[in-house]
Amino acid sequence: MDFNPKKIVFVGLGLIGGSVAKAIHQTYPDIKLYATAGHKETVEAAHNDGLIENSELLSDEKIADSDVVFLCSPVLKNIEYLSRIKPYLKPDTLITDVGSVKGDIAAEIEKLGLSDQFIGGHPMTGSENTGYAYSDPAFLENAYYLLTYQSDKAKEIIPYFDKFISSLGSQTMILKPDEHDLAVAAISHLPHVISASLVNLVRDNNKDDLLKTIAAGGFRDITRISSSSPVMWENICLSNKDAILKMIDSYEDILNGFRKSIEDGDGAVIKSKFQSAKDFRDSLPVRKSGILPADFTLYSDLRDEPGQIATVATILAASGISIKNIGIIHNREFEEGVLQIELYSEKDFEAARELLEAHSYKLHIR
């Protein structure tokens, strides 16, 4: 069997759909790409960019008339599209998605008798920003791209689609739908629930804007993902309900254990909990793309001299390194480090790190 698509249609062209489409266009410029979206302006923008062939929204029949259909809308919207395009699908059209939940769509695929031509997909990448304007093929580079299947025929197709996705720069992993949903509930969905809860906690206790004023460092890091799309996370929580609830229960058990240790004043146990977390966290490949948006930020001691922000900016600019954001952290969480420098890419991060260390700046890496 050979996987050599000539025409691919995207249903939804937001941050992830647009990034996948751009990665395919960059790697396989001869493949004809088409797309439809919730807003005509998105399609027009992609057409003006030379990414897709059409400038108008597509009918269900035209969506189905393709070698591959990428479902890139919110989870529940993807499920709705399946029944709409089924009457027009060719038996050899491959359907895939990019949703972070597989249970509901897997059930709908089974119900519609489409298991043989469906491979679930989940690129574990993204940004706190949303929409086509922020899409970038670089989001797929070195990111895990999870693939699922639910029939023997689909299992036979997996190696070929796996090779195609890998050629876009991603690292693939093959799972069953239920394995996938439990895994992402733990490392993606629960963290978003915790992040949103923590932000709401601070908001509810933000008397006279005190907490909002001093919030920095660790609080901003752990809650950065709360800037993601509320609509998307509503869909995810409703679609992956059972797995998320299971992880919330497990998290509550751990949190209650922490509470008891603090209540008992048991320093040894408290320290062991922080130590085990540190050891496991330090073992993670934190600089690779993943389910949390990439964060390329350096923290540097700020020398007691006038114009130090300008000096650092000049050093980086002279070497062609663009700064995304730079500023002083007034809430010091490091012993001395107060200058935060955010870069656009891992390449810039590593270059800036090497350059500033060469200029004797003491850097801190989270």
Side-chain angles (χ1 to χ4, degrees):
M1 178 182 176
D2 189 22
F3 184 74
N4 187 28
K6 305 295 183 184
K7 178 181 178 181
I8 296 177
V9 173
F10 285 81
V11 177
L13 206 62
L15 180 75
I16 300 301
S19 297
V20 174
K22 288 177 179 179
I24 292 174
H25 182 67
Q26 180 177 274
T27 309
Y28 301 100
D30 292 335
I31 295 179
K32 301 294 184 183
L33 303 182
Y34 297 77
T36 196
H39 301 284
K40 184 181 177 183
E41 293 77 12
T42 301
V43 172
E44 291 173 341
H47 179 261
N48 291 337
D49 287 345
L51 179 65
I52 61 176
E53 303 294 318
N54 59 300
S55 59
E56 299 286 336
L57 299 178
L58 300 178
S59 66
D60 295 342
E61 187 171 0
K62 288 185 177 179
I63 292 171
D65 182 25
S66 59
D67 299 316
V68 184
V69 176
F70 269 88
L71 299 174
C72 304
S73 296
V75 178
L76 300 180
K77 197 70 176 176
N78 286 341
I79 290 173
E80 177 188 324
Y81 266 102
L82 284 171
S83 58
R84 288 172 49 179
I85 66 175
K86 189 198 173 194
Y88 311 109
L89 283 171
K90 299 177 292 186
D92 59 347
T93 295
L94 177 66
I95 308 165
T96 187
D97 76 327
V98 297
S100 65
V101 180
K102 296 301 171 215
D104 284 358
I105 196 167
E108 187 69 11
I109 285 288
E110 191 75 28
K111 175 184 171 184
L112 295 174
L114 296 172
S115 297
D116 288 350
Q117 56 191 108
F118 177 75
I119 295 176
H122 178 196
M124 301 187 70
T125 185
S127 165
E128 61 268 34
N129 297 312
T130 60
Y132 172 77
Y134 294 98
S135 61
D136 190 323
F139 278 130
L140 268 68
E141 294 177 7
N142 296 315
Y144 280 109
Y145 199 120
L146 306 183
L147 302 175
T148 67
Y149 67 94
Q150 47 199 102
S151 78
D152 290 339
K153 178 71 178 294
K155 187 177 181 180
E156 293 175 6
I157 301 171
I158 279 270
Y160 304 95
F161 190 64
D162 183 320
K163 183 178 179 181
F164 179 75
I165 294 298
S166 296
S167 70
L168 305 180
S170 295
Q171 301 181 47
T172 57
M173 186 178 294
I174 301 169
L175 302 169
K176 290 290 186 69
D178 57 342
E179 293 176 326
H180 169 277
D181 285 359
L182 193 61
V184 296
I187 55 92
S188 173
H189 304 166
L190 179 63
H192 277 80
V193 170
I194 293 171
S195 175
S197 300
L198 181 56
V199 172
N200 288 332
L201 172 70
V202 170
R203 180 205 62 193
D204 293 345
N205 290 274
N206 185 37
K207 185 178 180 180
D208 298 326
D209 269 355
L210 172 62
L211 300 185
K212 186 176 182 179
T213 300
I214 65 174
F219 179 79
R220 289 185 179 274
D221 286 348
I222 198 173
T223 61
R224 183 163 53 98
I225 54 177
S226 288
S227 294
S228 299
S229 166
V231 174
M232 178 181 74
W233 283 100
E234 175 192 9
N235 272 264
I236 288 172
C237 287
L238 294 176
S239 299
N240 204 24
K241 173 182 173 181
D242 292 342
I244 293 174
L245 289 177
K246 182 176 181 179
M247 288 301 157
I248 288 176
D249 290 343
S250 296
Y251 181 70
E252 284 183 339
D253 290 341
I254 292 173
L255 194 60
N256 286 332
F258 234 123
R259 187 187 190 286
K260 187 175 187 308
S261 299
I262 295 172
E263 185 179 39
D264 294 345
D266 194 334
V269 173
I270 293 171
K271 180 181 177 182
S272 71
K273 291 179 183 295
F274 279 109
Q275 187 65 53
S276 63
K278 172 178 168 51
D279 292 345
F280 187 76
R281 175 62 173 78
D282 289 349
S283 73
L284 299 178
V286 296
R287 293 254 55 89
K288 287 187 177 181
S289 298
I291 191 62
L292 299 180
D295 180 23
F296 306 111
T297 304
L298 293 168
Y299 299 86
S300 170
D301 291 354
L302 192 61
R303 296 174 182 170
D304 188 17
E305 300 171 7
Q308 273 302 295
I309 292 181
T311 300
V312 170
T314 300
I315 290 172
L316 298 180
S319 295
I321 300 172
S322 297
I323 298 172
K324 185 176 182 180
N325 197 11
I326 187 169
I328 298 173
I329 297 178
H330 296 285
N331 180 355
R332 302 187 182 191
E333 293 193 342
F334 298 109
E335 185 176 347
E336 300 173 335
V338 293
L339 184 62
Q340 176 177 298
I341 311 156
E342 186 177 0
L343 292 312
Y344 281 96
S345 68
E346 183 174 3
K347 180 180 178 182
D348 285 348
F349 174 89
E350 296 297 346
R353 180 178 184 174
E354 182 177 338
L355 189 60
L356 292 177
E357 286 178 341
H359 280 77
S360 300
Y361 282 89
K362 182 180 179 182
L363 303 181
H364 308 265
I365 311 298
R366 275 204 177 95

